[in-house]
Amino acid sequence: MLKTVKSINDECPQTLFIQMSKQCSKCKKSNAIYLRNYSGELLCKKCFIKSVEYKAKRTLSKFSMIKHGDRVAVAVSGGKDSLALLNILKNILSGVNPELVAITVDEGIKGYRDESLNIVKCFCSSIGVENRVVSFSELFGLSMDNAMEVRPSEKISSCSMCGTFRRRAIDQLAESCGANVIATGHNLDDYIQTFLINLFAGDVERIGWTYPEPIEYGVGGLKKIKPLMEIYEKELVLYAIHLNIPFQAEECPYKDESIRSAFRSHLNNLEKIHPGIKYNAYNSILKIAKKLKSTNNVIDREHRRCLVCGRDSSGDVCSVCSTLNLLFKKN
Ligand code: SF4
Ligand code: ZN
């Protein structure tokens, strides 16, 4: 039996349901369940689901994210965004791209990751998508729990260490599945937060890299795509709940209180007062990223190789190998 977790941070789904006796402004037949504040539309369940899937489809085509013959690996963690993404891609690519595979990374976090691995496994089997899992222990010789014990905390934060390993694990798992496209569940809120993080860190080059037209990297030419990047986070919560998609909402015990959480909460407050402000910000960021991508401010990621593992690297040693070095040296 799948377990559904229905509480999530400050976007509590209970507050997203609107009891209305008004009609859906699209079909003019059913009762509305959602008021899309930024557009003023009232939507019934069916039209809401359709509109979310349509947005993802439009993003895929606007940025040429998937081409004929691509094999797509969907990175699925067990959270609402990645499970919603899997369901959306399964629906919109049905018949076009039968080679969808769900890839999951087991970081090795006791009492947290086990539940989400189970949620992903059950959901994939219920919609008939293959699920492949790889663990940090298999790839790097230590779990996240082990790494937290030996890490020099002043030199590396939990999430940056975990993120470095997870990105590599996803790449390797996708390659081993024969996939050339990796789809991730980043939403519009994530995209704006990432922009602000880069802006406040003075990392202008990275802003250009976030432009959504995929760039190939790695030996076999992998591409990363974010089909949900034009969809508000709260709409993905609502999508998952209305379709009874189970998801894990419990927080990871190692989560840092990063600047991302602060931006998230400020942006949510702003959106409450000025509906649509996130959408405006998204459109402006897209223009800035496009300009930066096409100027010299964005240095193309050089095709250098890590001297230790041989994978793509911006320096002599890649971030995974230098992190492992830091962890094992401490040991
Ligand atoms: Fe890893 Fe941080 Fe996410 Fe936990 S919250 S799974 S440590 S990235
Ligand atoms: Zn390396």
Side-chain angles (χ1 to χ4, degrees), residues 107 109 112-113 144 158-160 162-163 166 252-256:
E107 296 92 347
I109 304 173
Y112 166 70
R113 193 39 95 205
M144 199 46 200
S158 51
C159 290
S160 72
C162 183
R166 182 146 27 80
C252 168
Y254 301 138
K255 187 173 182 214
D256 325 302

Side-chain angles (χ1 to χ4, degrees), residues 201-220:
D203 209 340
V204 179
E205 280 167 22
R206 275 185 191 275
I207 295 172
W209 295 352
T210 64
Y211 190 70
E213 257 166 22
I215 301 170
E216 288 191 8
Y217 65 97
V219 186

